[in-house]
Amino acid sequence: MIAEIGAILLAMSALASVAQGGLGLIAGHRNDASLAAAAKAFSTSALIALALSFAALTYLFLTSDFSVKLVAQHSHVEKPLIYKISGVWGNHQGSMLLWCLMSAGFAFALAQLRGGLGFGLWSRAVGVQGAVTAAMALYTLFFSSPFERLLPAALQGEDLNPLLQDPALAAHPPFLYVGYVGLSVPFSLAIAALLEGRTDPHWARALRPWTLVAWTGLTLGIGLGSYWAYYELGWGGWWFWDPVENASFMPWLAGAALI
């Protein structure tokens, strides 16, 4: 039942994010404060729904519910607590849910922290950020659901990849996602500026704190991953070509250039 509730909450968050995206963009076009307030409220709803959905998946891992396919594939009843928790995002489906949660968190923060942004630019940015969250939530719900059942249920889990059972790797993905997802806020502000047809010093100043937060998170994530790679795998030239590390280093360079 918990898995089904988690899936329903994920669907609710997707709908709330769609509403946030549409209302925010329309509010910016019409200069309508009431629509902008509704978009802001939907950003809160999306975050709450995703937080509860993520909590449901975490509970399934903590209780070793092997009737859920993801838990059976990436956990074990005797696994230490820290790795039961990190097992939530130590796989594709769970990491996508974490991505959605962080995207909703940044959408909520953007909706709350208008700063010196003009109304049109701010409401459009909130709308674009809602659309980003909606796209990721819908993809996760329909193509990468972490709540898929396994029938019959497994007696024991297959366990998390031993290479990932490491404190540095437990913290590595969340920090990376702060960077990855955090950079969607400058993206939303840039698209909002294009839609509005103008930029100003307030817009440029607004980009900086969001970019710094995202870039700092990405730096910490890359640092933790590098530290793990050195002592866990040793150093060989092949690590330069690891696609995961390159995928995080490229936006780090772009973020550094933007700062």
Side-chain angles (χ1 to χ4, degrees), residues 206-227:
L207 285 176
R208 187 170 181 81
W210 297 106
T211 308
L212 280 171
V213 168
W215 185 82
T216 301
L218 200 53
T219 301
L220 291 171
I222 291 172
L224 285 170
S226 300
Y227 173 65

mmCIF file of all heavy atoms in Angstrom, residues 206-227:
data_model
loop_
_atom_site.group_PDB
_atom_site.id
_atom_site.type_symbol
_atom_site.label_atom_id
_atom_site.label_comp_id
_atom_site.label_asym_id
_atom_site.label_seq_id
_atom_site.Cartn_x
_atom_site.Cartn_y
_atom_site.Cartn_z
ATOM 1 N N ALA A 206 20.193 38.554 -10.028
ATOM 2 C CA ALA A 206 19.386 37.431 -9.547
ATOM 3 C C ALA A 206 20.003 36.088 -9.931
ATOM 4 O O ALA A 206 19.817 35.092 -9.227
ATOM 5 C CB ALA A 206 17.967 37.530 -10.101
ATOM 6 N N LEU A 207 20.708 36.035 -11.044
ATOM 7 C CA LEU A 207 21.332 34.783 -11.468
ATOM 8 C C LEU A 207 22.433 34.335 -10.515
ATOM 9 O O LEU A 207 22.625 33.127 -10.314
ATOM 10 C CB LEU A 207 21.950 34.942 -12.864
ATOM 11 C CG LEU A 207 21.031 34.969 -14.072
ATOM 12 C CD1 LEU A 207 21.852 35.224 -15.323
ATOM 13 C CD2 LEU A 207 20.275 33.665 -14.208
ATOM 14 N N ARG A 208 23.139 35.297 -9.943
ATOM 15 C CA ARG A 208 24.380 34.957 -9.242
ATOM 16 C C ARG A 208 24.186 34.034 -8.034
ATOM 17 O O ARG A 208 24.875 33.010 -7.934
ATOM 18 C CB ARG A 208 25.115 36.239 -8.841
ATOM 19 C CG ARG A 208 26.494 35.959 -8.250
ATOM 20 C CD ARG A 208 27.302 37.228 -8.078
ATOM 21 N NE ARG A 208 28.609 36.927 -7.530
ATOM 22 C CZ ARG A 208 29.639 36.501 -8.226
ATOM 23 N NH1 ARG A 208 29.518 36.303 -9.518
ATOM 24 N NH2 ARG A 208 30.800 36.253 -7.645
ATOM 25 N N PRO A 209 23.306 34.333 -7.070
ATOM 26 C CA PRO A 209 23.205 33.438 -5.903
ATOM 27 C C PRO A 209 22.757 32.025 -6.271
ATOM 28 O O PRO A 209 23.261 31.051 -5.709
ATOM 29 C CB PRO A 209 22.176 34.135 -4.999
ATOM 30 C CG PRO A 209 21.448 35.085 -5.891
ATOM 31 C CD PRO A 209 22.418 35.511 -6.923
ATOM 32 N N TRP A 210 21.815 31.895 -7.227
ATOM 33 C CA TRP A 210 21.374 30.564 -7.634
ATOM 34 C C TRP A 210 22.520 29.795 -8.288
ATOM 35 O O TRP A 210 22.689 28.596 -8.036
ATOM 36 C CB TRP A 210 20.206 30.677 -8.618
ATOM 37 C CG TRP A 210 18.989 31.321 -8.051
ATOM 38 C CD1 TRP A 210 18.527 32.588 -8.307
ATOM 39 C CD2 TRP A 210 18.065 30.756 -7.112
ATOM 40 N NE1 TRP A 210 17.379 32.832 -7.599
ATOM 41 C CE2 TRP A 210 17.070 31.724 -6.857
ATOM 42 C CE3 TRP A 210 17.985 29.519 -6.468
ATOM 43 C CZ2 TRP A 210 16.014 31.494 -5.991
ATOM 44 C CZ3 TRP A 210 16.924 29.289 -5.596
ATOM 45 C CH2 TRP A 210 15.962 30.265 -5.367
ATOM 46 N N THR A 211 23.298 30.501 -9.111
ATOM 47 C CA THR A 211 24.422 29.845 -9.773
ATOM 48 C C THR A 211 25.485 29.435 -8.765
ATOM 49 O O THR A 211 26.072 28.347 -8.865
ATOM 50 C CB THR A 211 25.031 30.775 -10.830
ATOM 51 O OG1 THR A 211 24.008 31.246 -11.699
ATOM 52 C CG2 THR A 211 26.092 30.058 -11.646
ATOM 53 N N LEU A 212 25.742 30.284 -7.780
ATOM 54 C CA LEU A 212 26.746 29.967 -6.759
ATOM 55 C C LEU A 212 26.342 28.744 -5.937
ATOM 56 O O LEU A 212 27.172 27.876 -5.657
ATOM 57 C CB LEU A 212 26.966 31.169 -5.836
ATOM 58 C CG LEU A 212 27.865 32.281 -6.362
ATOM 59 C CD1 LEU A 212 27.818 33.487 -5.437
ATOM 60 C CD2 LEU A 212 29.306 31.787 -6.490
ATOM 61 N N VAL A 213 25.071 28.670 -5.550
ATOM 62 C CA VAL A 213 24.591 27.510 -4.788
ATOM 63 C C VAL A 213 24.753 26.232 -5.596
ATOM 64 O O VAL A 213 25.278 25.219 -5.110
ATOM 65 C CB VAL A 213 23.119 27.704 -4.371
ATOM 66 C CG1 VAL A 213 22.530 26.403 -3.843
ATOM 67 C CG2 VAL A 213 23.006 28.790 -3.312
ATOM 68 N N ALA A 214 24.316 26.269 -6.851
ATOM 69 C CA ALA A 214 24.391 25.087 -7.700
ATOM 70 C C ALA A 214 25.844 24.691 -7.967
ATOM 71 O O ALA A 214 26.214 23.512 -7.878
ATOM 72 C CB ALA A 214 23.668 25.341 -9.023
ATOM 73 N N TRP A 215 26.669 25.662 -8.286
ATOM 74 C CA TRP A 215 28.079 25.386 -8.605
ATOM 75 C C TRP A 215 28.819 24.842 -7.387
ATOM 76 O O TRP A 215 29.648 23.939 -7.501
ATOM 77 C CB TRP A 215 28.737 26.654 -9.127
ATOM 78 C CG TRP A 215 30.138 26.463 -9.606
ATOM 79 C CD1 TRP A 215 30.555 26.002 -10.821
ATOM 80 C CD2 TRP A 215 31.343 26.751 -8.869
ATOM 81 N NE1 TRP A 215 31.921 25.971 -10.899
ATOM 82 C CE2 TRP A 215 32.431 26.428 -9.707
ATOM 83 C CE3 TRP A 215 31.588 27.244 -7.599
ATOM 84 C CZ2 TRP A 215 33.749 26.592 -9.303
ATOM 85 C CZ3 TRP A 215 32.907 27.406 -7.197
ATOM 86 C CH2 TRP A 215 33.968 27.078 -8.037
ATOM 87 N N THR A 216 28.501 25.378 -6.200
ATOM 88 C CA THR A 216 29.135 24.882 -4.973
ATOM 89 C C THR A 216 28.732 23.440 -4.703
ATOM 90 O O THR A 216 29.565 22.598 -4.352
ATOM 91 C CB THR A 216 28.755 25.770 -3.780
ATOM 92 O OG1 THR A 216 29.177 27.111 -4.035
ATOM 93 C CG2 THR A 216 29.414 25.266 -2.499
ATOM 94 N N GLY A 217 27.439 23.136 -4.859
ATOM 95 C CA GLY A 217 26.986 21.757 -4.680
ATOM 96 C C GLY A 217 27.642 20.816 -5.661
ATOM 97 O O GLY A 217 28.065 19.707 -5.300
ATOM 98 N N LEU A 218 27.764 21.247 -6.915
ATOM 99 C CA LEU A 218 28.402 20.420 -7.937
ATOM 100 C C LEU A 218 29.879 20.214 -7.609
ATOM 101 O O LEU A 218 30.415 19.116 -7.791
ATOM 102 C CB LEU A 218 28.245 21.096 -9.300
ATOM 103 C CG LEU A 218 28.402 20.235 -10.550
ATOM 104 C CD1 LEU A 218 27.492 19.022 -10.510
ATOM 105 C CD2 LEU A 218 28.113 21.072 -11.791
ATOM 106 N N THR A 219 30.532 21.248 -7.105
ATOM 107 C CA THR A 219 31.944 21.128 -6.721
ATOM 108 C C THR A 219 32.123 20.100 -5.609
ATOM 109 O O THR A 219 33.024 19.254 -5.667
ATOM 110 C CB THR A 219 32.485 22.494 -6.260
ATOM 111 O OG1 THR A 219 32.343 23.439 -7.317
ATOM 112 C CG2 THR A 219 33.959 22.394 -5.881
ATOM 113 N N LEU A 220 31.269 20.171 -4.595
ATOM 114 C CA LEU A 220 31.362 19.213 -3.495
ATOM 115 C C LEU A 220 31.084 17.789 -3.982
ATOM 116 O O LEU A 220 31.758 16.838 -3.578
ATOM 117 C CB LEU A 220 30.375 19.592 -2.391
ATOM 118 C CG LEU A 220 30.689 20.869 -1.611
ATOM 119 C CD1 LEU A 220 29.524 21.240 -0.709
ATOM 120 C CD2 LEU A 220 31.971 20.694 -0.796
ATOM 121 N N GLY A 221 30.077 17.649 -4.843
ATOM 122 C CA GLY A 221 29.757 16.330 -5.368
ATOM 123 C C GLY A 221 30.891 15.734 -6.179
ATOM 124 O O GLY A 221 31.235 14.551 -6.026
ATOM 125 N N ILE A 222 31.498 16.538 -7.046
ATOM 126 C CA ILE A 222 32.628 16.067 -7.844
ATOM 127 C C ILE A 222 33.809 15.728 -6.943
ATOM 128 O O ILE A 222 34.506 14.726 -7.142
ATOM 129 C CB ILE A 222 33.020 17.120 -8.891
ATOM 130 C CG1 ILE A 222 31.922 17.236 -9.956
ATOM 131 C CG2 ILE A 222 34.346 16.770 -9.560
ATOM 132 C CD1 ILE A 222 32.128 18.390 -10.921
ATOM 133 N N GLY A 223 34.020 16.560 -5.911
ATOM 134 C CA GLY A 223 35.122 16.300 -4.981
ATOM 135 C C GLY A 223 34.939 14.979 -4.240
ATOM 136 O O GLY A 223 35.888 14.199 -4.107
ATOM 137 N N LEU A 224 33.732 14.722 -3.761
ATOM 138 C CA LEU A 224 33.459 13.456 -3.074
ATOM 139 C C LEU A 224 33.630 12.272 -4.016
ATOM 140 O O LEU A 224 34.186 11.233 -3.649
ATOM 141 C CB LEU A 224 32.045 13.464 -2.501
ATOM 142 C CG LEU A 224 31.822 14.310 -1.250
ATOM 143 C CD1 LEU A 224 30.332 14.424 -0.954
ATOM 144 C CD2 LEU A 224 32.552 13.707 -0.061
ATOM 145 N N GLY A 225 33.148 12.419 -5.244
ATOM 146 C CA GLY A 225 33.300 11.345 -6.220
ATOM 147 C C GLY A 225 34.756 11.079 -6.555
ATOM 148 O O GLY A 225 35.167 9.916 -6.692
ATOM 149 N N SER A 226 35.559 12.140 -6.675
ATOM 150 C CA SER A 226 36.975 11.970 -6.974
ATOM 151 C C SER A 226 37.705 11.299 -5.819
ATOM 152 O O SER A 226 38.543 10.414 -6.022
ATOM 153 C CB SER A 226 37.601 13.335 -7.273
ATOM 154 O OG SER A 226 36.975 13.952 -8.365
ATOM 155 N N TYR A 227 37.371 11.732 -4.588
ATOM 156 C CA TYR A 227 37.984 11.136 -3.397
ATOM 157 C C TYR A 227 37.685 9.637 -3.343
ATOM 158 O O TYR A 227 38.577 8.810 -3.117
ATOM 159 C CB TYR A 227 37.442 11.844 -2.165
ATOM 160 C CG TYR A 227 37.863 11.236 -0.845
ATOM 161 C CD1 TYR A 227 39.195 11.239 -0.448
ATOM 162 C CD2 TYR A 227 36.914 10.670 0.012
ATOM 163 C CE1 TYR A 227 39.573 10.684 0.757
ATOM 164 C CE2 TYR A 227 37.290 10.118 1.222
ATOM 165 C CZ TYR A 227 38.617 10.124 1.589
ATOM 166 O OH TYR A 227 38.978 9.562 2.788
#
